[in-house]
Amino acid sequence: MTETIARTFPVTAVQSKLPELLAGMAGGEELILTADGVPVAVIKRLECTSWPSVPGTAKDRSFWMSPDFDAPLEDFAEYME
């Protein structure tokens, strides 16, 4: 059984930041909206039921990787000494 995480915000405080709050919510987390200190709504982030990618979808694609892809970057030369 998973524990529900809840955060409480006044409706007036969330109006302009709702997209950011929703993007930062974890699966199963609840956002409780209040008006004058009284809870008026609950927004709950749904938990993922499947992985967003499908296995095998990239098998027919060709990828190119530079021969020096793992060479040290010049910007970090001073840290490599």
Side-chain angles (χ1 to χ4, degrees), residues 36-81:
D36 298 323
V38 178
V40 293
V42 176
I43 299 172
K44 183 174 182 178
R45 176 75 181 238
L46 298 177
E47 299 200 26
C48 284
T49 56
S50 66
W51 187 252
S53 63
V54 178
T57 56
K59 67 181 176 183
D60 295 328
R61 299 176 194 241
S62 61
F63 295 96
W64 178 84
M65 187 178 297
S66 172
D68 63 345
F69 78 97
D70 60 349
L73 298 173
E74 291 179 19
D75 295 346
F76 294 100
E78 65 184 278
Y79 301 108
M80 304 296 285
E81 297 174 359

Side-chain angles (χ1 to χ4, degrees), residues 2-60:
T2 43
E3 181 180 327
T4 302
I5 303 165
R7 294 186 292 165
T8 306
F9 293 97
V11 173
T12 55
V14 218
Q15 288 175 343
S16 64
K17 298 182 184 216
L18 191 57
E20 292 89 9
L21 287 170
L22 293 175
M25 290 175 68
E29 183 177 359
E30 291 183 352
L31 182 64
I32 302 170
L33 303 179
T34 62
D36 298 323
V38 178
V40 293
V42 176
I43 299 172
K44 183 174 182 178
R45 176 75 181 238
L46 298 177
E47 299 200 26
C48 284
T49 56
S50 66
W51 187 252
S53 63
V54 178
T57 56
K59 67 181 176 183
D60 295 328

